[in-house]
C-alpha cells in the first residue's frame, strides 16, 4: 500500500528517501489543513484566464493527497470553496463546480483503490444537483476506507460552522435535553461539522497572504501556521516537505511552559 499512486506514476527512489528522512526527523502531523490560494494570480502570470489556474490547482490537490497518504497523515482538509466564494462572477463559480464534478468523476476510483476516504464539510445543499449527486456517490464509494481521510471544505466557513453548532445547542437547551451549564468546549466541538475529525496540527496557506479567511476558526486554536509565497498550482511535494520540516521544529506548548512540555514528552 506504500506504493500509493494517484497520478499513475511510480514513486521515485529519491522521493521515497526524502519521505523516509522526514518520517525519521520528527512527528508527521496527524491532520493537515490547506488554504489553497493564488490560482487566479498564477493564471495571470501565464497570461491566462483564472479557470486555467483552478485546473492546474487540481494537479496540486492530487499531489498533496498522494504525499500525505504516503507519509501517514490521517486527515487532509482542503478549503476548496468558501461561503464567500459564492460572491465571485457566476461564470467562475460554474467553472469551479464543473471542475469539481470532473475531478470527482476522474479521481474517485483511484482514491478508493488507495484506501482513501472522501469527506465533505459545508453547505453542500447549496451546490447544483449534479455536483451533489457526484459528491454523494464518491462519499458512498469510499466510506469504508481507512488509510486517510480527504476532507473537502465546500461552501464552508468557520463562522457558519459555529453558527450552525450554536443553533443545534440552542434547540437542545430549548427542548430540555441539555442545561446551559452543560455547554463547554467539548459540547461545542461535538456540534461542529468536524466533530469526528481531530483539530488540525498544521495549517498551510499558499500565495503569501497572512489571513485565515474564515476557515476552521474554532478548530485551529492551537494549529501551527505555515505560509508560503508559492501559488497553489506551483505547490508540489517539495513545498509540502518544507512545511512539515518547519512543523517538526516548532514546540507546541498548548499554553504550558517549555519545561512542562519536555516533561510530558519524556514520560510518554
Ligand atoms: C483560490 O485561488 C482557490 C479557490 C477558491 C478554489 C480552489 C479550487 C481548486 C484547487 C480546484 C478544485 C478543487 C478540488 C478539490 C477538485 P484564488 O482563485 O482565490 O486565486 P487568487 O487569490 O490569485 O485570485
Amino acid at each position: 500500500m506504500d506504493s500509493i499512486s494517484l497520478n499513475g506514476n511510480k514513486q521515485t527512489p529519491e522521493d521515497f528517501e526524502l519521505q523516509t528522512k522526514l518520517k525519521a526527523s520528527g512527528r508527521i502531523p496527524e491532520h493537515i489543513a490547506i488554504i489553497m490560494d493564488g490560482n487566479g494570480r498564477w493564471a495571470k502570470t501565464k497570461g491566462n484566464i483564472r479557470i486555467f489556474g483552478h485546473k492546474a490547482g487540481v494537479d496540486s490537490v492530487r499531489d498533496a493527497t498522494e504525499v500525505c497518504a504516503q507519509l501517514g497523515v490521517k486527515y487532509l482538509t482542503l478549503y476548496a470553496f468558501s461561503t464567500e466564494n459564492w460572491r465571485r462572477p457566476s461564470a467562475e463559480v460554474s467553472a469551479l463546480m464543473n471542475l469539481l464534478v470532473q475531478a470527482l468523476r476522474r479521481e474517485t476510483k483511484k482514491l478508493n483503490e488507495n484506501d482513501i476516504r472522501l469527506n465533505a464539510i459545508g453547505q453542500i445543499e447549496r451546490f447544483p444537483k449534479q455536483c451533489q449527486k457526484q459528491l454523494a456517490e464518491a462519499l458512498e464509494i469510499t466510506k469504508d476506507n481507512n488509510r486517510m481521510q480527504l476532507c473537502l471544505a465546500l461552501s464552508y466557513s468557520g463562522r457558519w460552522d459555529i453558527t450552525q453548532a450554536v443553533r443545534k445547542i440552542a434547540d437542545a437547551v430549548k427542548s430540555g435535553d441539555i442545561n446551559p451549564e452543560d455547554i463547554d468546549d467539548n459540547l461545542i466541538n461535538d456540534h461542529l461539522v468536524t466533530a469526528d475529525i481531530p483539530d488540525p496540527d498544521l495549517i498551510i496557506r499558499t500565495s503569501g497572504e497572512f489571513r485565515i479567511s474564515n476557515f476552521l476558526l474554532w478548530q485551529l486554536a492551537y494549529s501551527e501556521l505555515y505560509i508560503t509565497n508559492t501559488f497553489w498550482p506551483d505547490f508540489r511535494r517539495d513545498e509540502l516537505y518544507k512545511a512539515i520540516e518547519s512543523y517538526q521544529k516548532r514546540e507546541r506548548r498548548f499554553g504550558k511552559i517549555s519545561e512542562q512540555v519536555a516533561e510530558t514528552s519524556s514520560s510518554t
Side-chain angles (χ1 to χ4, degrees):
M1 189 57 82
D2 275 326
S3 61
I4 172 173
S5 169
L6 296 178
N7 62 9
N9 298 333
K10 262 178 85 93
Q11 187 179 24
T12 64
E14 296 75 22
D15 189 45
F16 182 78
E17 198 180 320
L18 280 175
Q19 291 189 2
T20 308
K21 275 193 188 144
L22 201 57
K23 287 184 204 169
S25 62
R27 282 169 74 99
I28 297 296
E30 184 185 20
H31 182 178
I32 298 182
I34 307 183
I35 303 175
M36 310 180 287
D37 196 14
N39 293 352
R41 278 164 287 165
W42 181 87
K44 203 169 174 190
T45 63
K46 312 263 175 215
N48 226 314
I49 55 165
R50 298 178 53 82
I51 191 65
F52 182 70
H54 296 315
K55 276 189 184 150
V58 177
D59 295 334
S60 299
V61 167
R62 193 182 301 106
D63 200 46
T65 306
E66 185 175 301
V67 169
C68 284
Q70 285 167 340
L71 285 172
V73 171
K74 296 306 284 181
Y75 301 86
L76 172 64
T77 302
L78 302 176
Y79 207 7
F81 195 85
S82 72
T83 309
E84 291 74 21
N85 285 153
W86 288 112
R87 298 185 196 138
R88 291 193 174 194
S90 60
E92 182 170 343
V93 171
S94 312
L96 275 167
M97 303 291 146
N98 288 337
L99 206 54
L100 180 67
V101 171
Q102 273 175 27
L104 291 169
R105 265 198 203 128
R106 226 178 313 130
E107 315 286 345
T108 302
K109 191 163 169 265
K110 278 262 159 20
L111 290 177
N112 199 32
E113 281 166 6
N114 287 288
D115 200 19
I116 297 171
R117 177 180 171 193
L118 190 72
N119 187 10
I121 51 170
Q123 290 174 290
I124 312 297
E125 66 282 3
R126 289 186 70 179
F127 277 67
K129 285 278 169 296
Q130 167 67 3
C131 226
Q132 290 188 42
K133 188 171 161 271
Q134 204 67 48
L135 192 59
E137 224 174 275
L139 298 180
E140 175 61 27
I141 291 172
T142 62
K143 72 176 189 320
D144 296 322
N145 294 343
N146 280 315
R147 181 177 183 137
M148 185 180 84
Q149 185 178 118
L150 170 63
C151 179
L152 301 181
L154 295 167
S155 191
Y156 176 88
S157 79
R159 286 185 178 175
W160 163 79
D161 194 2
I162 294 167
T163 306
Q164 65 80 34
V166 170
R167 270 202 200 120
K168 282 192 254 171
I169 294 169
D171 276 345
V173 171
K174 198 170 151 196
S175 60
D177 290 337
I178 53 171
N179 295 315
E181 50 283 9
D182 297 332
I183 302 172
D184 59 9
D185 276 21
N186 288 332
L187 188 106
I188 294 174
N189 213 44
D190 289 347
H191 288 81
L192 295 170
V193 290
T194 51
D196 298 328
I197 305 175
D199 288 344
D201 301 293
L202 172 65
I203 300 243
I204 298 172
R205 180 165 190 149
T206 58
S207 93
E209 310 283 358
F210 285 72
R211 280 195 292 279
I212 294 303
S213 297
N214 214 351
F215 197 22
L216 301 159
L217 296 180
W218 174 277
Q219 298 85 340
L220 55 70
Y222 285 101
S223 306
E224 297 295 330
L225 298 177
Y226 181 87
I227 291 163
T228 169
N229 285 330
T230 304
F231 293 141
W232 177 250
D234 283 333
F235 187 94
R236 293 300 157 86
R237 55 187 66 207
D238 48 327
E239 276 274 358
L240 193 47
Y241 298 154
K242 272 195 228 161
I244 295 174
E245 266 166 29
S246 166
Y247 167 84
Q248 290 179 337
K249 290 186 190 124
R250 317 271 180 98
E251 182 190 53
R252 304 188 75 195
R253 292 195 293 277
F254 299 96
K256 296 180 183 171
I257 64 168
S258 276
E259 288 75 5
Q260 291 174 300
V261 175
E263 217 168 82
T264 321
S265 53
S266 65
S267 64
T268 51

